[in-house]
Structure formats: structure tokens, C-alpha cells
Amino acid sequence: AADAIGASLIATAHHMGDHAETVILNLLRGTGTEGLGGIPPVRGRYIRPLLNIPRAEIETYLQENGIGHIEDETNADTDFARNRLRLEIWPRLASINGALTEHIASAAAITRRENDYLDGLASELLPAEGAQISCEKLQSAPPVLQSRMVRLLLRRLPTGKKDVGAVHIDAILRLTETGGTLSLPSKMQAVCRSGELILRVLSPSPPAQELCWGENRWGEYLISLMKVPDAP
């Protein structure tokens, strides 16, 4: 829809409650400082102008100004982890500290700033382009930056670092010591040989087919099959 109307940005309605919930959910799944930073205010074309505003304040504004809104019909479905957290657990946490949402959002902002700073240091150690790096250079970097360097390299792939967790990052770092090949989510692959770590996305396998005489299209390849005289 944004492309159809020529919009350069897409604004979403995520609010402070969504932000704080995301921090807790990321913590429960096991996360680093990136996940503890919660929902980023800006990511590419997406902006979230309401991220620092509590839901109750937004609802009050809508009521006072007679503005309608659409409630997601799945919001009450406790089969979803976020809804269980919001409806069942959050009220109990709020009974301990009523400013729970604000405090978590504040902590996330601090973490996000520190995470951005460390990412900046890590990016200075990477090559200007591409998704490969000398194993020696990666291993000689401060340990706190090594996993960040790998994550930043993964972001340069067409798939990004989708579904890649801490366990995969650790496995890639071990690969730089042992050499070899490692399969990653989303058909990504890490290869370490001749002292170089290469991150790449595997091309889809070409369809199985029989080759005929003449030109054959096989995936992204064009194969010519012809008879040649026997060598004398």
C-alpha cells in the first residue's frame, strides 16, 4: 500500500506497553542487549511515533476527540504468549510496581543507546562491504565485539539475520577456530577455509530434470549438450 501511494515512511501504532512487553518476551526467550532494547523507534521505512506514549493516554485522547479505532480481534486470545503476558502476568507485576511499563521502557532506551554504541565500534572493524572477514581479524577483536561483528555481517545478506540466535552466533565463532561449513536458518551458510569466514545464502536447488541434446535451462544455468568426435 505504501508503494502504491508513493509513501516514503510507514508509521505503526506501537505504544509504550507494546515496547515493554517486547522487552520481557525477548528476555524470556533469551536475548542480548539488542533484544533488551525492545522495539526500535525507526527501522528502515518503519517509524513508531507513539512508542513512548502509554496505551491509556492514547485511548483517552481518542475518546475525548471522538476518534474511532480498530481493536485486533486476537487481542483477547490467550493462546498467544504476548496476550497471556498482558492479560494474566502484567497485572500481577504491576501490583509490585505500578510504574512497571515506564521503568522497563526507560531501561530499554538506555540499553538501546549502549547497544548502538557497541555496534558502531564493531562496524569499524568490518570490511567496507561483503559478508566475509579474516578469521584472524575476527578473533583478535575484543570478545564483547566479536558476536556483534558476526551479526552485522549477517545483516548484509539478502535474508538478514532472520531466525539467527545466540547459539548460531556462537557456532560461527567456533567455526573460525576449527574450519568447515555450518548450515544456518533461512538457507544461510557459514564457511571457514583458508583463514577466511564467508557468510552466504545458498541458491535454491535447480529442479530435477533430464538433459536433452542441445541447450537446456537448469536453474540459473544454461547447459549445452552435444556430441563430439571420439579423440584419436
Side-chain angles (χ1 to χ4, degrees), residues 30 35-36 96 160:
L36 292 177
I96 300 174

Side-chain angles (χ1 to χ4, degrees), residues 4-162:
I5 65 174
S8 58
L9 297 174
I10 301 170
T12 71
H14 293 105
H15 51 73
M16 185 183 289
D18 297 319
H19 187 33
E21 290 166 2
T22 298
V23 173
I24 297 299
L25 288 170
N26 287 345
L27 181 62
L28 292 174
R29 297 185 185 109
T31 187
T33 53
E34 183 176 19
L36 292 177
I39 303 174
V42 179
R43 176 177 287 165
R45 298 174 67 186
Y46 296 93
I47 60 173
R48 301 177 174 92
L50 304 179
L51 203 57
N52 291 321
I53 301 178
R55 176 183 178 127
E57 184 176 331
I58 298 172
E59 290 177 334
T60 298
Y61 179 87
L62 295 177
Q63 291 171 0
E64 291 177 347
N65 291 274
I67 301 173
H69 69 284
I70 298 174
E71 185 79 15
D72 189 332
E73 61 184 11
T74 67
N75 278 351
D77 188 348
T78 53
D79 285 340
F80 296 99
R82 182 179 292 272
N83 291 345
R84 290 200 302 276
L85 173 65
R86 179 182 301 155
L87 300 174
E88 300 174 5
I89 300 174
W90 209 265
R92 304 181 74 174
L93 292 175
S95 69
I96 300 174
N97 189 322
L100 169 72
T101 300
E102 291 81 358
H103 289 171
I104 293 177
S106 176
I110 295 171
T111 305
R112 189 167 54 251
R113 289 195 298 269
E114 294 179 351
N115 184 68
D116 290 344
Y117 175 74
L118 290 173
D119 273 355
L121 295 179
S123 65
E124 293 176 358
L125 301 176
L126 297 176
E129 56 185 20
Q132 63 185 73
I133 189 173
S134 159
C135 293
E136 181 181 359
K137 187 168 186 177
L138 181 58
Q139 293 166 353
S140 63
V144 70
L145 297 182
Q146 291 179 12
S147 60
R148 293 175 179 275
M149 293 168 69
V150 173
R151 286 201 302 272
L152 291 173
L153 287 174
L154 286 168
R155 286 179 184 171
R156 297 181 179 183
L157 297 177
T159 55
K161 63 180 188 64
K162 180 177 172 57

